[in-house]
Amino acid sequence: MKLSIIIPYYNIEDKYLFRCLANVFNLEIPRNEYEIILIDDGSKYPPKQAKAHYENNKRTVWLSQPHKGLGAARNLGLAHAHGEYILFLDSDDYLYRGILPSLLEYAITHGCDILRFGYRHCTSMQEETAPQPERLQFTPPMNGNNYLRTHHVPSMACIYLFQRSLCMGINLQFAEEGFIEDEAFTAILHYNARHIVETNAILYAYYIRPG
């Protein structure tokens, strides 16, 4: 299996999870090449309609835990993942169509440990189309030490496609306390990587909720 998409959620409204899942079920990737792992972080008000609609789909794995926070939910998803690559997706966000297949193929073909892509804020409940470059480009690969010395590394875990073996090889997990659970994880992941590449493609739609 090439890819595991990990989607934690907590008290998410059905309309958001419906949009998220409708999006990832139509990624132009063969169905047997990716899985979708959803983790309910102890929701008091779970998205019952969205789960009932999708829970019998063979590509989905539904997990739950007592409320421990986003870091713990992501760790649970990682522990159950089988994909060669990992992609995190927040349950009210989505991925711009037509981009991920090319990025995944590039990462696999070139042995990328980490592939960083662009993201864009969106405010509409309707899926939008991001402006994409005329030509898909990738930077020359760098090892983690050089990359950290020369680049700003956003802690946002959702803007990286990374090898599961890199994470598992050092038993890397998200912090389960505090509010910046991405920060240490992302820095350590980059430090241990030998092949980091950036692309000019915009893959991730970061939804800004009203109010």
Side-chain angles (χ1 to χ4, degrees):
M1 184 174 293
K2 294 182 178 180
L3 177 66
S4 296
I5 300 175
I6 298 176
I7 308 174
Y9 65 89
Y10 176 71
N11 289 347
I12 188 72
E13 293 182 50
D14 274 293
K15 63 180 180 180
Y16 297 123
L17 192 58
F18 262 122
R19 180 181 64 176
C20 179
L21 290 177
N23 173 261
V24 297
F25 276 114
N26 293 280
L27 289 177
E28 303 96 11
I29 298 174
R31 293 184 177 186
N32 63 336
E33 293 184 357
Y34 73 105
E35 63 181 353
I36 302 164
I37 302 175
L38 296 109
I39 307 97
D40 182 355
D41 183 34
S43 296
K44 295 180 180 179
Y45 312 102
K48 294 179 180 179
Q49 295 179 23
K51 183 175 181 180
H53 186 79
Y54 285 105
E55 66 179 340
N56 293 324
N57 190 290
K58 294 181 179 179
R59 280 181 288 170
T60 58
V61 177
W62 294 83
L63 306 171
S64 62
Q65 65 178 20
H67 183 50
K68 297 180 181 178
L70 179 58
R74 284 176 171 169
N75 289 338
L76 184 59
L78 280 171
H80 286 80
H82 297 93
E84 183 178 350
Y85 281 84
I86 300 292
L87 177 64
F88 289 110
L89 178 61
D90 287 346
S91 56
D92 55 355
D93 297 336
Y94 60 92
L95 305 175
Y96 291 114
R97 297 182 185 274
I99 306 300
L100 183 56
S102 298
L103 301 191
L104 183 60
E105 186 63 28
Y106 185 93
I108 293 172
T109 301
H110 293 82
C112 300
D113 288 327
I114 301 173
L115 175 57
R116 174 180 166 183
F117 46 80
Y119 72 98
R120 185 169 178 260
H121 292 127
C122 61
T123 57
S124 173
M125 270 301 294
Q126 300 297 318
E127 279 195 30
E128 300 175 354
T129 301
Q132 298 293 343
E134 292 185 7
R135 181 171 175 267
L136 196 60
Q137 295 181 333
F138 299 89
T139 60
M142 299 182 70
N143 64 41
N145 187 42
N146 289 334
Y147 189 86
L148 288 170
R149 286 193 296 106
T150 56
H151 290 70
H152 168 67
V153 179
S155 60
M156 182 181 172
C158 293
I159 62 170
Y160 305 102
L161 183 66
F162 64 90
Q163 282 204 40
R164 182 169 62 92
S165 60
L166 172 63
C167 184
M168 297 296 103
I170 55 175
N171 194 30
L172 181 59
Q173 294 188 320
F174 286 90
E176 298 190 2
E177 296 181 358
F179 294 100
I180 313 178
E181 68 287 323
D182 300 39
E183 196 168 277
F185 181 95
T186 303
I188 296 170
L189 189 72
H190 280 74
Y191 180 78
N192 285 275
R194 292 174 295 178
H195 192 123
I196 302 172
V197 171
E198 294 183 8
T199 178
N200 59 345
I202 301 173
L203 173 64
Y204 198 94
Y206 186 102
Y207 180 64
I208 306 297
R209 297 195 199 186

